[in-house]
Amino acid sequence: KHQGVCRYPLGMSGGQIQDEDISASSQWSESTAARYGRLNFEEGDGAWCPEITVEPDSLKEFLQIDLRSLHFITLVGTQGRHAGGIGNEFAQMYKIKYSRDGSRWISWRNRQGKQVIEGNRNAYAIVLKDLEPPIIARFVRFMPVTDHSMNVCMRVELYGCEWLDGLVSYNAAAGEQMSLPAYSAYLNDSVYDGAVSHSMTEGLGQLTDGVCGLDDFTQSHDTHNVWPGYDYVGWTNESFSNVEIMFEFDRIRNFTTMKVHCNNMYSRHVKVFRQVVCYFRSEADWEATPLSFSPVEDVENPSARFVTVNLANHMASAIKCQFYFADAWMLFSEITFQSDTAMYNTTLAPPKSGLTPDTQPKDDPTHKVDDSNTRILIGCLVAIIFILVVIIVIILWRQVWQKMLEKASRRMLDDELTASLSIQSETFAYTHNQSSTTSEQESNSTYERIFPLGPDYQEPSRIICKLPEFAQSSEEPVQDGAPHYAEADIVNLQGVTGGNTYAIPALTMDLLSGKDVAVEEFPRKLLTFKEKLGEGQFGEVHLCEADGMQEFMNKEFLFDIPEDLPVLVAVKMLRSDANKNARNDFLKEIKIMSRLKDPNIIRLLAVCIYSDPLCMITEYMENGDLNQFLSRHEPEGQLALLSNAPTVSFNNLCYMAAQIASGMKYLSSLNFVHRDLATRNCLVGKNYTIKIADFGMSRNLYSGDYYRIQGRAVLPIRWMSWESILLGKFTTASDVWAFGVTLWEILNFCKEQPYSQLTDEQVIENTGEFFRDQKRQIYLPQPVLCPDSLYKIMLSCWRRNTKERPSFQEIHRALLEIQQG
Ligand SMILES: *[C@@H]1O[C@H](CO)[C@@H](O)[C@H](O)[C@H]1NC(C)=O
Ligand SMILES: *[C@@H]1O[C@H](CO)[C@@H](O)[C@H](O)[C@H]1NC(C)=O
Ligand SMILES: *[C@@H]1O[C@H](CO)[C@@H](O)[C@H](O)[C@H]1NC(C)=O
């Protein structure tokens, strides 16, 4: 689960990683110091370059990043030194070393044991590499490798997310070998990164790599070159009376649960453990009374499953669990821990001085800059700042001009608008792996003329470049289907948090904005900050308590809360330094939001616009978003009984889906297009009530659901219709498509990302298959819980022809029937 979702850039290109946290073995000059090793940055001389040429087999040079806390790293990106065409140095190959504590360094190897990673082929293109297995570390080193002596420069980025489990290592007896009739299954921990002899010590591995084993343990997700039993670590009762695993954590935590992913293939004498006894250690000593838990034995269902063990808020920095056999074998593929994360935030960043690894260059000659140089430097800086100011003024002027020109030309020169899309060089810098098609794309200009998209829609046309066949026959579908407003007069609001808010036709916009804002100003001092929900380019979303909100709410507004209690609200806040466009968009968003009145749409309650920062106060629902809500729940039945998880009935799933359809029915009746309908954007209240909101995109938690190109636009491609991805068309019909995906998520209890087995690139290829319609497109599979009648609704939402998709009225009616029948 981690791997699909956890692919967020960790801040080399975005700047969240500070200069002081980037170091290197050496530098060629001050202008190629470690801090210039940021992906997509062109500052200094354009990259980090070590002092001397890199020799084959000398692994002396490295670029090191300190992430300040443990992270789960799934992907790395590298780039050479381009420096506007002057540079031509890059690393053809590299290795990665990592460390959790800054002293013990581990060499990364892939699942086949290979250490060397293929790097760049030229100085400008970004090459991304999935880390299989992923890394859990605080420090990461990139070490260039060459086959002949050469100059090497690198820019890098890490992708992943914070490692909230806080697990630093687990120790256990080494996994064993199981003889099967025809062959053996090797149940050792094949990616363990600590020491392995009779037992495993001080490492992490298979149990934390985010890959859950399959029901049949002899099979594996990773089909190439792995042995039977690869995903599992297993032990037999012949060798042990019980299996003791010791878990060490980064600090004392308040533990809620442990989830153990166990195999249960009882036909091969493998079963979930019979009992587990856990001991806790917070300071020096182990607590005297252990906690014990026995799951219900299951000999009906052979599927692998997570068994949840309630750790009852024990405080500990180490946990020791003894697992008892229910049969001859016990096989685990993942173990995760849930602990109090609020506490986590407070101790996130360790003290700045602590733990700097002693590998930094001690005797750095470049620090001996004398006084006269300093003065020259300051002079230069002042000059540069002056020039920058002038450039900024010019750019601002140009933007104003462009806006005016665009307005005039939009009507006359609809198709010619695409000329603005021919921003070439960057478009092709994004090559996944060693895609060699870059040069063909560069020279082929026909792709750019076909799609009359506004300047906000650059990304879909880039995606099209990946589908060469698309260009040949694409004249026809551009015209078909959806109403025209989607292409031309659309008012596209970029929400404060960087997300799309509702996109609506300009016509409706005029109607809406005719009157004054119908919501009242709320006294800022009555808001009490509770938690940050999200953050984006232009602002933040906070969860707050509002005192006396009752007075501000209209009578028509049914909100069954007791008098005088503070109300939970979401507060969207514009940064006070946001530019004028962002401010205008924010005010427009307020106008639009204030007109939306439907029981299934989040309501705007009040605003603070008399002073900065501008705020929008909307409802918030106590159960959080639907995605998290369902992830915490299980379907009714055996499995839920086994793991004590709370459940949601099928009827209630239908009830929630019907409410989403009803809210969307309302939006579509106003010709509003949501553009980002998904469970993460629906909030859950009491008794399974649902309201649709729009701040999903701003949250790191869900960054894996969006496809990022060059850190610019982000698109929820797994929810998007083919025509939205390929043509940039967003209509009610594309919202219907997204609804189909949302329904699929609901029936899967959000346990899986849509198309989780496909990479982002494969999802886009699949979109091309939907367009070509030669029966090669892959549909999302029918969820286990989902009756045929519901799956039929989903399939109808994913029809190629937009006109054949059902309306939200029809969907709503059908869902009500299924719920009642
Ligand atoms: C696990 O077993 C396989 C198959 O025998 C072997 O190739 C591999 O080296 C072992 N790995 C470890 C870490 O012991
Ligand atoms: C652990 O967390 C729970 C729930 O957040 C809280 O009620 C409890 O007091 C915490 N325990 C300690 C020792 O802080
Ligand atoms: C291991 O478990 C099997 C099945 O429960 C049992 O028949 C066998 O006696 C056990 N072996 C040992 C050494 O306990």
Side-chain angles (χ1 to χ4, degrees):
K1 172 140 195 191
H2 259 109
Q3 279 173 309
V5 177
C6 174
R7 295 163 78 85
Y8 190 70
L10 295 180
M12 287 295 278
S13 45
Q16 296 89 332
I17 296 173
Q18 303 294 311
D19 282 348
E20 68 210 54
D21 293 330
I22 311 173
S23 56
S25 50
S26 69
Q27 63 194 30
W28 186 71
S29 69
E30 190 54 34
S31 55
T32 60
R35 65 176 180 279
Y36 298 112
R38 295 173 183 273
L39 197 84
N40 259 340
F41 259 56
E42 291 284 356
E43 261 137 63
D45 271 340
W48 162 70
C49 311
E51 186 179 4
I52 46 168
T53 52
V54 172
E55 305 291 336
D57 304 323
S58 88
L59 278 171
K60 280 195 225 117
E61 305 297 342
F62 60 81
L63 176 63
Q64 173 174 320
I65 300 157
D66 177 359
L67 295 167
R68 296 239 162 223
S69 62
L70 290 178
H71 280 71
F72 190 82
I73 302 159
T74 54
L75 185 70
V76 290
T78 59
Q79 199 178 11
R81 184 178 87 93
H82 187 47
I86 305 165
N88 190 28
E89 297 86 7
F90 51 92
Q92 292 171 317
M93 294 174 282
Y94 59 97
K95 292 187 185 183
I96 285 183
K97 276 196 176 185
Y98 60 94
S99 173
R100 287 187 273 276
D101 56 6
S103 62
R104 194 170 78 88
W105 289 88
I106 304 159
S107 297
W108 180 83
R109 329 170 160 262
N110 72 5
R111 295 196 186 274
Q112 283 73 44
K114 205 174 143 214
Q115 292 188 18
V116 175
I117 303 174
E118 293 273 321
N120 298 87
R121 297 283 183 89
N122 56 45
Y124 50 89
I126 297 171
V127 173
L128 298 175
K129 289 286 177 183
D130 278 301
L131 292 181
E132 280 285 350
I135 289 174
I136 296 163
R138 175 180 157 180
F139 302 96
V140 178
R141 282 180 184 171
F142 287 83
M143 317 177 78
V145 175
T146 60
D147 50 11
H148 59 276
S149 138
M150 66 184 283
N151 289 322
V152 167
C153 300
M154 289 185 93
R155 287 179 282 172
V156 304
E157 177 65 290
L158 300 167
Y159 302 81
C161 55
E162 263 201 89
W163 176 236
L164 294 172
D165 282 29
L167 187 60
V168 180
S169 73
Y170 60 80
N171 303 339
E176 300 182 284
Q177 178 180 338
M178 182 197 286
S179 303
L180 297 169
Y183 52 87
S184 287
Y186 295 92
L187 300 166
N188 59 5
D189 193 330
S190 25
V191 298
Y192 193 71
D193 63 14
V196 185
S197 55
H198 298 301
S199 60
M200 306 185 274
T201 45
E202 292 214 18
L204 294 173
Q206 206 98 54
L207 297 183
T208 52
D209 70 349
V211 179
C212 291
L214 299 176
D215 295 350
D216 179 352
F217 62 87
T218 62
Q219 306 291 313
S220 179
H221 294 282
D222 190 341
T223 47
H224 35 273
N225 301 330
V226 298
W227 50 85
Y230 182 86
D231 289 325
Y232 284 95
V233 186
W235 303 269
T236 164
N237 68 350
E238 300 287 322
S239 328
F240 306 96
S241 62
N242 65 62
V243 174
E244 182 172 288
I245 310 184
M246 161 107 142
F247 304 92
E248 308 240 22
F249 296 85
D250 53 351
R251 59 177 174 76
I252 298 178
R253 287 164 172 268
N254 182 344
F255 286 96
T256 51
T257 51
M258 168 173 77
K259 293 190 181 182
V260 186
H261 191 261
C262 307
N263 192 277
N264 196 41
M265 201 176 176
Y266 48 80
S267 57
R268 293 228 188 263
H269 299 290
V270 178
K271 276 203 201 124
V272 170
F273 53 88
R274 171 169 60 81
Q275 192 193 17
V276 58
V277 178
C278 292
Y279 297 80
F280 299 86
R281 188 185 70 196
S282 53
E283 303 294 327
D285 301 318
W286 292 95
E287 273 177 36
T289 45
L291 179 150
S292 144
F293 170 76
S294 306
V296 181
E297 186 174 355
D298 181 0
V299 289
E300 311 261 277
N301 181 352
S303 47
R305 80 257 339 251
F306 269 109
V307 176
T308 305
V309 181
N310 186 348
L311 298 181
N313 290 114
H314 275 271
M315 303 291 292
S317 63
I319 301 179
K320 185 168 68 179
C321 291
Q322 290 157 354
F323 295 90
Y324 289 86
F325 290 88
D327 206 326
W329 284 89
M330 215 157 40
L331 268 55
F332 300 157
S333 74
E334 281 290 300
I335 301 186
T336 66
F337 289 88
Q338 289 69 46
S339 53
D340 193 351
T341 47
M343 242 171 67
Y344 190 71
N345 285 337
T346 61
T347 56
L348 221 151
K352 291 211 164 174
S353 57
L355 264 181
T356 333
D358 53 12
T359 40
Q360 273 172 333
K362 290 208 175 69
D363 218 349
D364 191 349
T366 50
H367 280 160
K368 299 170 201 144
V369 183
D370 70 20
D371 224 30
S372 59
N373 275 352
T374 316
R375 259 179 255 132
I376 294 172
L377 213 86
I378 291 173
C380 288
L381 279 177
V382 170
I384 289 169
I385 289 171
F386 179 74
I387 291 169
L388 278 178
V389 168
V390 171
I391 290 173
I392 289 170
V393 168
I394 291 172
I395 289 174
L396 287 179
W397 258 111
R398 280 188 48 176
Q399 275 184 350
V400 171
W401 265 110
Q402 255 179 3
K403 277 270 146 60
M404 290 166 67
L405 283 177
E406 249 166 47
K407 274 207 180 119
S409 63
R410 191 165 280 185
R411 279 172 207 102
M412 300 180 287
L413 297 170
D414 236 357
D415 338 10
E416 296 305 317
L417 220 131
T418 46
S420 68
L421 282 179
S422 50
I423 307 161
Q424 290 267 352
S425 58
E426 287 172 5
T427 311
F428 304 103
Y430 181 86
T431 42
H432 192 253
N433 294 342
Q434 49 266 40
S435 152
S436 55
T437 49
T438 359
S439 52
E440 301 157 30
Q441 292 162 354
E442 239 159 0
S443 57
N444 198 335
S445 62
T446 55
Y447 300 154
E448 286 141 25
R449 291 196 50 79
I450 299 164
F451 309 103
L453 308 167
D456 289 341
Y457 294 100
Q458 293 182 11
E459 312 311 332
S461 74
R462 294 182 182 191
I463 290 167
I464 277 167
C465 299
K466 301 195 167 181
L467 297 163
E469 318 91 292
F470 187 75
Q472 279 129 41
S473 56
S474 53
E475 237 75 42
E476 164 262 319
V478 179
Q479 265 79 31
D480 87 347
H484 275 290
Y485 61 73
E487 291 155 62
D489 287 335
I490 196 147
V491 179
N492 177 30
L493 295 179
Q494 192 77 39
V496 239
T497 51
N500 283 319
T501 49
Y502 309 107
I504 56 166
L507 191 70
T508 319
M509 180 75 201
D510 289 344
L511 288 178
L512 286 170
S513 51
K515 293 165 238 158
D516 280 323
V517 175
V519 281
E520 289 185 61
E521 178 81 7
F522 189 77
R524 212 179 277 274
K525 58 177 189 293
L526 297 183
L527 292 173
T528 319
F529 173 82
K530 286 194 65 111
E531 182 183 327
K532 189 152 102 186
L533 291 174
E535 166 169 39
Q537 197 181 353
F538 300 115
E540 297 183 349
V541 183
H542 292 175
L543 179 64
C544 294
E545 273 177 0
D547 278 320
M549 179 53 86
Q550 285 82 347
E551 289 169 35
F552 288 81
M553 293 186 303
N554 305 349
K555 293 290 163 284
E556 49 171 324
F557 184 28
L558 298 168
F559 205 86
D560 49 349
I561 32 164
E563 289 283 314
D564 302 332
L565 276 185
V567 182
L568 224 43
V569 294
V571 179
K572 238 186 196 188
M573 209 176 283
L574 189 71
R575 265 195 241 294
S576 35
D577 59 353
N579 62 23
K580 224 172 157 189
N581 284 346
R583 284 179 80 89
N584 280 340
D585 276 357
F586 194 82
L587 294 173
K588 270 188 221 159
E589 194 182 340
I590 289 178
K591 280 185 182 163
I592 293 170
M593 286 285 287
S594 68
R595 310 281 175 208
L596 294 180
K597 290 180 182 159
D598 184 85
N600 299 118
I601 304 280
I602 280 292
R603 285 284 297 268
L604 180 64
L605 300 175
V607 293
C608 310
I609 47 174
Y610 291 170
S611 63
D612 274 342
L614 302 185
C615 292
M616 218 185 285
I617 305 171
T618 65
E619 288 176 90
Y620 192 77
M621 315 271 280
E622 61 248 45
N623 283 320
D625 74 63
L626 181 57
N627 188 292
Q628 287 182 302
F629 178 79
L630 284 178
S631 311
R632 288 194 300 267
H633 288 72
E634 300 284 342
E636 285 179 332
Q638 273 274 317
L639 209 70
L641 275 178
L642 199 74
S643 60
N644 293 328
T647 58
V648 180
S649 69
F650 175 76
N651 228 24
N652 282 329
L653 290 184
C654 288
Y655 173 54
M656 292 195 281
Q659 291 176 73
I660 300 175
S662 171
M664 291 306 296
K665 190 169 83 175
Y666 172 76
L667 281 188
S668 66
S669 73
L670 298 173
N671 277 335
F672 276 45
V673 181
H674 187 291
R675 300 227 243 184
D676 193 10
L677 181 61
T679 53
R680 61 181 171 276
N681 275 331
C682 298
L683 297 182
V684 186
K686 278 198 199 69
N687 299 326
Y688 306 104
T689 49
I690 297 278
K691 289 178 193 236
I692 300 170
D694 75 313
F695 30 73
M697 193 171 323
S698 58
R699 287 188 287 173
N700 290 1
L701 183 60
Y702 296 116
S703 57
D705 292 344
Y706 296 89
Y707 181 68
R708 285 164 189 275
I709 301 164
Q710 293 273 54
R712 286 163 170 242
V714 281
L715 299 172
I717 52 171
R718 287 162 201 269
W719 283 258
M720 279 164 72
S721 66
W722 70 267
E723 75 274 7
S724 304
I725 294 184
L726 298 182
L727 306 175
K729 273 194 189 179
F730 291 87
T731 61
T732 295
S734 58
D735 276 351
V736 166
W737 180 297
F739 179 84
V741 182
T742 307
L743 190 55
W744 183 90
E745 286 186 275
I746 293 175
L747 270 295
N748 273 316
F749 277 76
C750 300
K751 301 281 195 269
E752 196 187 324
Q753 198 190 29
Y755 304 109
S756 61
Q757 74 282 17
L758 303 187
T759 63
D760 286 344
E761 281 68 30
Q762 286 168 329
V763 170
I764 290 163
E765 270 163 38
N766 192 35
T767 302
E769 296 296 349
F770 270 105
F771 164 72
R772 284 188 285 271
D773 202 21
Q774 292 160 346
K775 305 268 180 295
R776 286 201 304 248
Q777 63 270 46
I778 303 171
Y779 289 90
L780 288 167
Q782 182 166 0
V784 182
L785 281 181
C786 177
D788 291 345
S789 53
L790 258 186
Y791 191 52
K792 243 161 99 189
I793 297 182
M794 291 180 202
L795 290 176
S796 67
C797 295
W798 304 325
R799 288 194 185 130
R800 180 181 186 277
N801 188 340
T802 50
K803 285 182 194 140
E804 287 171 14
R805 293 178 202 156
S807 67
F808 280 112
Q809 270 100 323
E810 289 162 344
I811 295 174
H812 183 230
R813 208 178 315 123
L815 285 172
L816 287 183
E817 272 167 24
I818 291 175
Q819 196 199 338
Q820 279 145 18

